[in-house]
């Protein structure tokens, strides 16, 4: 399996997510632990809220997005993690039974001045639902090691 | 119990978190589901990484922060949820056994132009560890209903 290094993260490059359906059970389990507001743990309360149904906590949507990023490229990369996120927008409710998909795209990339073996890659993840609507957008930074000199690495 | 409404969210007002220790088991369980990078699921891999030990996924720290926000004020508020986050910084590793605490403070607040019964409150949450170091900062928006006219509401 290819290991993506900094050199592979060229502006515009996209990594596609694998679709995943979020169940009521998952939504309730996450919310009971981290965000037990009524619209996240109770179907009737969700329907009565502006969200219109049993809706995932925004932080649950973000955690699912993280798993999609991991499966799409991080697991096969020289990732050194992330110092944070510039923007995390929850644009539409994610309701029980929704099927999420999407992609992440490289915005720009540069080598770290203080650590020249590490690159700083800015990326934008867009999570969509089964109607093609964007439910979440996240602009984040991913630190990536550069290819080791002399290593047998196929550049992207 | 007091229900906080928009009127209570005056700039500078703080809501204190209750301390919580994060165990290795919790860190691994979250990471196995949402962010199974080696430093989040394996003690030895964590020690070998720049994080220096078995370290929580940043999204786990954010989810724990959400629960602290819920317990500190959201559960007793007229919250209408959040459209997103302007900044989520993971400033230091959160390691197994760390005790997290902190607070959230009102930055500014205004009534929505399109929905005059809803206020838009900008807040900054700071999560600290047992050494008093800031491990995470989040600037976020919390939508809050205004007090109903004529309701028996004690303003903050």
């Amino acid at each position: 399996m290819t290991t993506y290094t900094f050199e592979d993260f060229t502006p515009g490059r996209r990594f596609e997510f694998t679709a995943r359906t979020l169940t009521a059970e998952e939504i309730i389990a996450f919310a009971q632990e981290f965000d037990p507001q009524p619209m996240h743990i109770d179907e009737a309360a969700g329907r009565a809220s502006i969200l219109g149904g049993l809706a995932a906590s925004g932080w649950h949507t973000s955690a699912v997005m993280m798993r999609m990023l991991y499966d799409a490229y991080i697991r096969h990369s020289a990732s050194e993690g992330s110092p944070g996120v510039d923007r995390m927008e929850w644009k539409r409710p994610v309701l029980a039974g929704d099927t999420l998909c999407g992609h992440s795209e490289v915005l720009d990339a540069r080598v770290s001045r203080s650590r020249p073996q590490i690159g700083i890659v800015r990326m934008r993840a867009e999570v969509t639902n089964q109607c093609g609507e964007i439910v979440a957008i996240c602009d984040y930074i991913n630190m990536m090691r550069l290819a080791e000199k002399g290593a047998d690495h196929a550049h992207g």
Side-chain angles (χ1 to χ4, degrees), chain A:
Chain A
M1 188 67 212
T2 303
T3 295
Y4 299 120
T5 62
F6 171 73
E7 292 77 2
D8 296 306
F9 291 82
T10 46
R13 182 157 185 179
R14 277 193 182 193
F15 299 91
E16 298 293 332
F17 297 161
T18 299
R20 170 172 170 179
T21 300
L22 219 55
T23 67
E25 290 71 25
E26 289 173 282
I27 288 173
I28 292 169
F30 185 98
Q32 282 178 329
E33 187 169 358
F34 297 116
D35 190 0
Q37 298 184 73
M39 64 282 201
H40 302 321
I41 56 171
D42 182 78
E43 173 73 41
R47 279 198 305 270
S49 78
I50 59 170
L51 300 176
L54 181 70
S57 166
W59 296 105
H60 190 190
T61 301
S62 297
V64 169
M65 175 194 74
M66 175 66 226
R67 181 57 189 252
M68 290 170 145
L69 293 170
Y70 174 81
D71 289 334
Y73 76 90
I74 292 175
R75 69 190 302 167
H76 302 303
S77 78
S79 173
E80 287 281 343
S82 171
V85 159
D86 291 330
R87 171 170 76 137
M88 178 76 246
E89 281 185 42
W90 301 302
K91 296 185 78 70
R92 286 172 182 269
V94 173
L95 301 180
D98 277 359
T99 298
L100 303 182
C101 205
H103 64 264
S104 187
E105 181 170 320
V106 178
L107 298 176
D108 53 58
R110 67 175 177 82
V111 175
S112 167
R113 279 179 287 266
S114 58
R115 290 190 290 171
Q117 278 309 304
I118 300 281
I120 296 163
V121 183
R122 287 205 319 124
M123 301 189 69
R124 174 169 298 162
E126 292 186 356
V127 182
T128 52
N129 64 17
Q130 62 279 2
C131 302
E133 299 163 329
I134 294 174
V135 296
I137 295 183
C138 183
D139 289 356
Y140 64 101
I141 290 168
N142 205 157
M143 317 289 277
M144 283 283 162
R145 290 191 301 281
L146 275 65
E148 293 173 43
K149 284 195 177 68
D152 180 20
H153 171 72
H155 288 232

